[in-house]
Amino acid sequence: QVQLVESGGGLVQPGGSLRLSCAASGSTAFINFMGWYRQAPGKERELVAAITRDDSTIYADSVKGRFTISRDNAKNTVYLQMNSLKPEDTVVYYCKAVRTVSGREYNYWGQGTQVTVSS
């Protein structure tokens, strides 16, 4: 099993910055995908940014140019640097990891961390 612990959420003014962290523990071998998702009340969960084992990245159009995802493989930790934050970025953010073993995929989710952008 894999456990994911997020940190770094909080309150920030419009135009400000935050950095989210997601640390994985447990059976972390063979994790080939980690990403950040967000979900507003009454809305579907959507992909914000993701990074693979070979460091390929993908971003939602709404955050491209403002957010940057990175990882530290030695620490089994993924980061999301969020700059130029807007009120519409206010939502709960979730960390996800995908572990592939013997051709089967297993998904793991963190508990979520709240980001609030307000003056």
Side-chain angles (χ1 to χ4, degrees):
Q1 296 293 308
V2 174
Q3 293 79 45
L4 303 175
V5 179
E6 300 120 324
S7 62
L11 175 65
V12 66
Q13 295 183 3
S17 299
L18 284 174
R19 190 180 76 158
L20 306 183
S21 299
C22 175
S25 62
S27 301
T28 57
F30 309 114
I31 292 178
N32 52 35
F33 175 99
M34 295 190 73
W36 289 95
Y37 294 72
R38 63 187 182 186
Q39 184 173 24
K43 300 293 182 64
E44 296 183 354
R45 189 169 297 185
E46 65 174 355
L47 174 69
V48 177
I51 187 167
T52 64
R53 181 63 67 180
D54 65 357
D55 292 327
S56 177
T57 59
I58 187 170
Y59 297 92
D61 288 340
S62 59
V63 307
K64 195 171 299 182
R66 299 189 297 123
F67 292 8
T68 302
I69 189 170
S70 62
R71 70 185 302 161
D72 185 335
N73 289 330
K75 295 181 177 293
N76 293 310
T77 300
V78 65
Y79 305 93
L80 184 67
Q81 179 66 47
M82 303 184 293
N83 299 324
S84 302
L85 284 163
K86 306 174 181 179
E88 50 263 44
D89 296 319
T90 297
V91 73
V92 177
Y93 288 74
Y94 297 89
C95 180
K96 177 186 178 181
V98 179
R99 185 169 183 259
T100 302
V101 181
S102 299
R104 296 187 296 177
E105 292 186 350
Y106 301 87
N107 297 333
Y108 303 91
W109 292 93
Q111 295 298 310
T113 184
Q114 176 71 49
V115 171
T116 302
V117 185
S118 176
S119 60

